[in-house]
């Protein structure tokens, strides 16, 4: 029987709405949901490869229990009962001996995150952490320090913008289909795009203005822009007077940070800095200084992100059409959101988190996501207590946390490593047990509560039956919970029952999703009255002078410090990493279609620097840092700043059964030092220097 199924893509974390054509029980075609504005039937390359991933036999097809050394790839197949009994018995032993806090669970945040959080809470562990913190923890902290809201509660009104400034946000290779389509429409209507990055990429090629900034100097540029805006009174005076707390402090602070000073730091001519400030102020408030997505580059990341948010506030573009806004939930339309398992009452947890987030040692990062890069140190040092078990739910801790070799040393101290995944990821390959999850096309999932200018709910419906002996993540966790004596926290037997439970009280039923794949709480976009903005800060305003920071002992405006330089600048470079349009982080390199298009990464190196080092285009080079090394092909170009080298994230896999991606390219995590922003919480992925030598 042929049918169309509305669902949500999960080839990346964006979760674009899709329509799946099913023929004779098999996926025949996938396209973007034609009913969703901005999608209009389109997909990115990864979304188009969803069928290829579904049909790929190089993924776990049954539960597996390790029988050889960790990382050896020696497994035995197991039934679900056998694998779950084994994991539950080990977890029970660890819990009884060391307490629930000895169990940690890390995941790439998803629709079922409330299930895994409930699982850990019921076990008495505070140690849930997510990939969000590795990506944008400091952005979260910056937003809370300015507005009282998290970055996840904020959005960008691309459709009406008149000028957008992107700092390394390679938006045309990320790819969020709706975001990209909407921005392209705005550009065609006359909006301007300024792009700032040490490397020329696709987004740079579409920009009206591109600056090859010296890596690590974004904060200097922003202080200079503020200098011009304040000095020439280019800001929205009425908005600033009403809504900005600490503007007088900024006025004094930025006086010394002139465009002429910034030119020496950034390499951007002073006249161009002044021109941008004047140009963008002429079209305020419909302007966007994009606060970023992956905000994990430098040790001062929180201050870089705060400076970007300040520029938006000076333009009056916060909660403005064409600017940035706060997402509206169902309550704005008198509705109720989908229920979550985390709303239940759990036993009180009195021990601190493994990363000490929320304590005087690390007060500001968001405990909802934690600080994952602390995990290796916490395990190795048993500080604040021993960690004995790690559950990885779609999060590859080996390839996502910097300094892979140190992470392996930490993992070797654990009594149990479990992976719930659809792939032979590197962490799955290093685990004791693999519990294979059904792919997004093979499962119904939890409700997606989509807040924004128009609050909505989306549903991922199962399109086809699982091809292998796999299960949905929430079912895996429920069955584990039953074996651990916490089954009452999971009031469902099937995913259909869980979805129905979530919808209770919302006024919607499963049938309401059938026509378009989503439901809307209202019909019109909601912008708050700019005379009555409900900021959640102690002052009730946008806090340039931040009570969150200063109450914790951190300054709101630290003096600028030039980025560090390598000991041997002639042959050392700052390592910069990023995305491509063809892959999602570390998870799609083995997907057949995508692997065929891009099977490995290369090292971008400046043409003149390469010549000095006798490196030619296409030759193999060794890249070495203080913590690791590896070989990769050189891509010699004049499209990258001479102080930096670049590699795409996510390559150099060690899992041999993922044969297409095995040992192809080089993993950036092997090279990166595990250093981080000790105020905001993000890793400093671009604060590692590497030596490059021809092989």
């Amino acid at each position: 029987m042929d049918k169309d199924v509305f669902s949500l893509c999960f080839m990346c974390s964006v979760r674009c709405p899709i329509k799946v054509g099913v023929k004779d029980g098999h996926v025949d075609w996938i396209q973007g949901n034609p009913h969703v504005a901005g999608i209009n039937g389109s997909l990115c390359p990864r979304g188009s490869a969803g069928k290829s991933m579904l049909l790929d036999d190089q993924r776990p097809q049954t539960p597996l229990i390790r029988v050889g050394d960790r990382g050896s790839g020696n497994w035995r197949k197991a039934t679900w009962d056998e694998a779950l009994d084994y994991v539950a018995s080990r977890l029970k032993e660890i819990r009884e001996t060391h307490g629930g806090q000895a169990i940690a669970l890390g995941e790439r945040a998803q629709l079922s995150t409330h299930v895994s959080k409930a699982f850990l809470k019921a076990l008495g562990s505070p140690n849930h952490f997510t990939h969000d913190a590795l990506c944008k923890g400091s952005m979260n902290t910056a937003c809370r320090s300015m507005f009282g809201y998290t970055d996840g509660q904020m959005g960008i009104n691309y459709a009406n913008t008149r000028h957008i400034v992107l700092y390394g946000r390679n938006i045309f290779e990320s790819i969020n289909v709706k975001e990209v389509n909407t921005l392209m429409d705005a550009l065609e209507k006359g909006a301007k795009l300024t792009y700032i990055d040490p490397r020329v990429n696709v987004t740079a090629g579409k920009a009206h203005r591109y600056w090859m900034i010296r890596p690590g100097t974004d904060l200097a540029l922003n202080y200079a822009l503020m200098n011009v805006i304040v000095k020439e009174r280019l800001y929205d005076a009425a908005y600033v007077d009403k809504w900005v707390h600490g503007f007088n402090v900024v006025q004094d602070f930025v006086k010394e940070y002139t465009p002429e000073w910034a030119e020496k730091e950034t390499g951007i001519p002073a006249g161009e800095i002044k021109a941008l400030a004047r140009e963008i102020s002429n079209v305020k408030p419909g302007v966007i200084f994009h606060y970023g997505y992956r905000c994990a580059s430098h040790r001062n990341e929180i201050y870089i992100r705060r400076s970007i948010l300040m520029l938006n506030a000076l333009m009056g573009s916060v909660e403005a059409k064409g600017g940035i806004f706060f997402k509206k939930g169902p309550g704005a339309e008198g509705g109720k959101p989908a229920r979550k398992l985390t709303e239940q009452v759990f036993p009180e947890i009195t021990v601190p988190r493994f990363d000490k987030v929320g304590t005087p040692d690390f007060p500001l990062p968001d405990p909802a996501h934690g600080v994952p890069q602390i995990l290796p140190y916490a395990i190795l040092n048993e500080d604040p207590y021993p960690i004995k078990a790690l559950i990885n739910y779609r999060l590859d801790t080996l390839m996502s946390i910097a300094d892979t070799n140190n992470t392996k040393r930490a993992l070797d101290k654990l009594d149990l490593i479990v992976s719930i995944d659809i792939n032979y990821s590197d962490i799955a390959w290093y685990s004791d047990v693999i519990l294979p999850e059904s792919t997004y096309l093979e499962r119904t999932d939890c409700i997606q509560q989509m807040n924004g200018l128009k609050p909505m709910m989306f549903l991922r419906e199962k399109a086809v039956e699982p091809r292998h002996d796999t299960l949905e993540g929430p079912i895996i966790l429920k069955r584990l919970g039953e074996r651990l004596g916490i089954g009452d926290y999971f009031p469902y037997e099937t995913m259909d029952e869980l979805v129905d439970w979530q919808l209770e009280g919302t006024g919607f039923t499963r049938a309401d999703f059938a026509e378009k794949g989503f439901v809307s709480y209202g019909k019109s976009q909601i912008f708050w009255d700019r005379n009555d903005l409900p900021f959640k800060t102690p002052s009730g305003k946008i806090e340039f002078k931040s009570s969150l920071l200063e109450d914790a002992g951190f300054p709101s405006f630290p003096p600028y410090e030039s980025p560090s330089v390598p000991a041997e600048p002639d042959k050392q470079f700052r390592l910069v990493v990023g995305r491509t349009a063809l892959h999602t982080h570390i998870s799609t390199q083995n997907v057949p279609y995508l692997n065929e298009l891009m099977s490995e990464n290369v090292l971008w190196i400046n043409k003149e620097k390469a010549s000095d080092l006798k490196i030619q285009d296409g030759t193999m080079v060794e890249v070495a840092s203080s913590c690791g090394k590896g070989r990769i092909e050189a891509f010699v170009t004049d499209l990258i700043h001479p102080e930096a080298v670049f590699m795409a994230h996510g390559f150099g896999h060690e899992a041999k059964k993922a044969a297409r991606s095995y040992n192809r390219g080089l993993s950036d995590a092997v090279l990166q030092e595990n250093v981080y922003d000790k105020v905001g919480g993000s890793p400093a992925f671009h604060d590692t220097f590497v030596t490059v030598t021809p092989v």
Side-chain angles (χ1 to χ4, degrees):
M1 179 179 177
D2 297 351
K3 61 179 180 178
D4 288 332
V5 179
F6 289 109
S7 187
L8 294 169
C9 181
F10 206 22
M11 294 298 287
C12 78
S13 298
V14 173
R15 300 188 286 268
C16 290
I18 56 175
K19 185 172 78 170
V20 184
V22 179
K23 187 174 184 179
D24 298 327
H26 300 281
V27 173
D28 182 58
W29 186 250
I30 307 174
Q31 67 180 81
N33 188 329
H35 301 295
V36 178
I39 298 291
N40 303 325
S42 56
L43 284 177
C44 77
R46 291 164 286 164
S48 299
K51 180 179 177 180
S52 173
M53 183 186 73
L54 171 69
L55 299 177
D56 182 15
D57 287 331
Q58 290 184 15
R59 58 183 176 99
Q61 301 177 21
T62 184
L64 297 169
I65 297 176
R66 179 176 61 84
V67 293
D69 294 336
R70 281 179 177 161
S72 66
N74 293 319
W75 310 92
R76 66 176 176 88
K77 293 182 179 180
T79 65
W80 275 103
D81 282 341
E82 183 182 10
L84 293 173
D85 286 346
Y86 177 81
V87 172
S89 66
R90 299 296 304 278
L91 290 176
K92 184 178 293 186
E93 179 183 340
I94 289 168
R95 185 186 184 199
E96 290 174 352
T97 304
H98 301 282
Q101 68 270 15
I103 303 168
L105 187 153
E107 69 178 312
R108 187 174 295 278
Q110 56 178 317
L111 301 179
S112 301
T113 292
H114 68 107
V115 181
S116 49
K117 284 188 173 183
F119 178 81
L120 267 200
K121 285 177 180 289
L123 288 177
S125 175
N127 292 323
H128 179 274
F129 61 94
T130 80
H131 176 267
D132 275 31
L134 288 169
C135 183
K136 50 195 180 74
S138 292
M139 186 67 241
N140 179 313
T141 309
C143 287
R144 288 185 289 115
S145 77
M146 295 272 291
F147 310 118
Y149 294 90
T150 69
D151 63 303
Q153 295 171 311
M154 300 183 65
I156 296 174
N157 187 217
Y158 296 100
N160 297 305
T161 194
R162 301 180 68 186
H163 198 137
I164 183 169
V165 182
L166 300 171
Y167 298 78
R169 172 64 170 138
N170 188 9
I171 199 167
F172 294 117
E173 289 190 84
S174 293
I175 297 173
N176 180 324
V177 173
K178 183 174 181 178
E179 183 179 86
V180 168
N181 285 343
T182 305
L183 179 57
M184 287 299 296
D185 288 344
L187 295 177
E188 290 176 4
K189 294 175 183 176
K192 301 296 183 183
L193 168 60
T194 293
Y195 188 66
I196 304 162
D197 196 310
R199 182 178 71 104
V200 179
N201 50 36
V202 172
T203 304
K206 292 187 177 295
H208 297 87
R209 174 192 285 106
Y210 166 69
W211 287 338
M212 183 180 283
I213 192 169
R214 179 180 170 227
T217 63
D218 297 49
L219 186 58
L221 170 63
N222 289 345
Y223 281 169
L225 286 169
M226 283 192 272
N227 173 284
V228 178
I229 290 167
V230 170
K231 182 179 180 180
E232 299 185 11
R233 296 186 62 81
L234 302 175
Y235 54 90
D236 185 329
Y239 187 91
V240 169
D241 288 346
K242 186 174 182 63
W243 292 119
V244 172
H245 173 69
F247 177 66
N248 59 325
V249 181
V250 173
Q251 283 181 304
D252 293 335
F253 178 77
V254 299
K255 283 181 180 178
E256 64 181 283
Y257 298 116
T258 64
E260 289 73 20
W261 163 84
E263 179 176 346
K264 297 174 184 177
E265 283 289 315
T266 65
I268 301 170
E272 293 190 24
I273 296 173
K274 295 176 184 177
L276 175 61
R278 293 162 184 163
E279 180 181 328
I280 208 163
S281 70
N282 288 334
V283 292
K284 63 179 185 290
V287 299
I288 300 162
F289 287 89
H290 199 301
Y291 45 81
Y293 190 77
R294 198 213 69 186
C295 309
S297 299
H298 304 291
R299 290 176 176 89
N300 64 344
E301 196 72 27
I302 185 173
Y303 294 109
I304 295 173
R305 302 302 152 181
R306 274 177 52 84
S307 69
I308 295 172
L309 295 173
M310 289 177 191
L311 287 166
N312 283 289
L314 291 172
M315 294 295 102
S317 68
V318 180
E319 198 61 20
K321 287 187 177 181
I324 64 178
F325 62 85
F326 300 97
K327 295 177 180 178
K328 315 308 184 296
E333 293 284 2
K336 292 184 178 180
R339 299 166 74 188
K340 294 184 177 181
L341 295 182
T342 46
E343 296 165 5
Q344 302 173 89
V345 177
F346 296 91
E348 183 182 4
I349 298 173
T350 58
V351 295
R353 293 176 51 86
F354 73 87
D355 49 26
K356 300 183 182 178
V357 166
T359 74
D361 289 335
F362 214 172
L364 296 186
D366 189 345
H369 299 288
V371 180
Q373 66 268 20
I374 300 296
L375 182 67
Y377 300 125
I379 295 172
L380 289 167
N381 300 325
E382 298 190 353
D383 181 18
Y385 42 71
I387 300 290
K388 293 297 181 179
L390 174 63
I391 302 172
N392 306 274
Y393 191 176
R394 296 187 57 256
L395 173 61
D396 190 335
T397 43
L398 276 176
M399 296 192 76
S400 298
I401 295 175
D403 194 351
T404 297
N405 293 323
N406 189 56
T407 303
K408 284 183 178 179
R409 285 190 286 271
L411 294 177
D412 287 340
K413 284 195 65 174
L414 296 176
D415 293 342
L416 179 67
I417 306 173
V418 178
S419 285
I420 302 173
D421 209 331
I422 61 172
N423 295 314
Y424 283 110
S425 61
D426 278 20
I427 188 60
W429 194 249
Y430 210 73
S431 293
D432 303 312
V433 182
I434 300 177
L435 303 176
E437 188 179 30
S438 302
T439 69
Y440 70 97
L441 293 167
E442 300 169 311
R443 69 176 190 257
T444 295
D445 221 326
C446 295
I447 293 292
Q448 169 161 299
Q449 192 72 52
M450 180 66 77
N451 296 339
L453 292 175
K454 289 175 62 176
M456 309 168 80
M457 283 194 292
F458 285 82
L459 179 62
R460 174 179 291 131
E461 288 276 16
K462 180 168 68 174
V464 294
E465 293 300 317
R467 297 184 64 239
H468 305 295
D469 189 13
T470 59
L471 289 174
E472 305 95 331
I475 300 300
I476 296 172
L477 291 173
K478 173 188 170 59
R479 293 185 183 180
L480 270 179
E482 290 172 340
R483 287 165 166 80
L484 290 164
I486 57 173
D488 289 345
Y489 289 99
F490 306 93
Y492 57 90
E493 295 296 329
T494 66
M495 287 305 303
D496 288 336
E497 289 183 9
L498 176 53
V499 170
D500 289 341
W501 178 87
Q502 286 193 280
L503 289 173
E504 289 177 6
T506 66
F508 297 104
T509 67
R510 288 286 291 277
D512 295 323
F513 293 85
E515 184 180 357
K516 297 181 178 179
F518 63 91
V519 294
S520 298
Y521 287 89
K523 295 183 178 180
S524 303
Q525 292 186 344
I526 304 170
F527 282 94
W528 285 328
D529 181 351
R530 283 161 61 86
N531 292 312
D532 188 24
L533 297 176
F535 297 115
K536 293 184 178 180
T537 54
S539 66
K541 296 185 177 184
I542 302 172
E543 293 198 350
F544 283 20
K545 188 177 188 297
S546 170
S547 55
L548 183 73
L549 289 175
E550 299 196 359
D551 288 351
F554 301 110
S556 297
F557 303 98
Y560 176 82
E561 295 182 9
S562 295
S564 56
V565 295
E568 299 179 273
D570 290 340
K571 57 181 180 180
Q572 286 184 294
F573 304 84
R574 185 178 294 273
L575 177 63
V576 176
V577 300
R579 302 276 300 277
T580 77
L582 297 172
H583 287 293
T584 299
H585 303 297
I586 49 82
S587 64
T588 61
Q589 281 74 15
N590 204 59
V591 173
Y593 291 172
L594 300 177
N595 181 272
E596 184 175 343
L597 292 169
M598 184 179 183
S599 60
E600 60 187 289
N601 55 357
V602 296
L603 186 79
W604 291 46
I605 183 169
N606 179 270
K607 190 174 182 179
E608 292 186 7
K609 286 285 190 176
S611 177
D612 293 341
L613 295 172
K614 296 180 173 53
I615 294 171
Q616 296 181 345
D617 186 50
T619 60
M620 295 299 293
V621 295
E622 181 178 85
V623 186
S625 70
S626 64
C627 56
K629 63 182 179 180
R631 294 186 175 188
I632 188 173
E633 183 179 311
F635 173 60
V636 177
T637 176
D638 58 0
L639 301 181
I640 188 168
H641 195 283
E643 293 183 19
V645 290
F646 169 87
M647 64 194 318
H649 172 60
F651 292 83
H653 287 253
E654 296 182 354
K656 292 182 180 179
K657 284 196 175 182
R660 301 178 202 91
S661 59
Y662 170 65
N663 204 27
R664 299 297 299 271
L666 177 59
S667 170
D668 52 322
V670 169
L671 302 169
Q672 290 161 335
E673 299 173 5
N674 192 347
V675 294
Y676 54 94
D677 173 2
K678 295 185 178 180
V679 180
S682 281
F685 286 137
H686 293 180
D687 276 358
T688 295
F689 291 112
V690 295
T691 301
V692 182
T693 54
V695 175

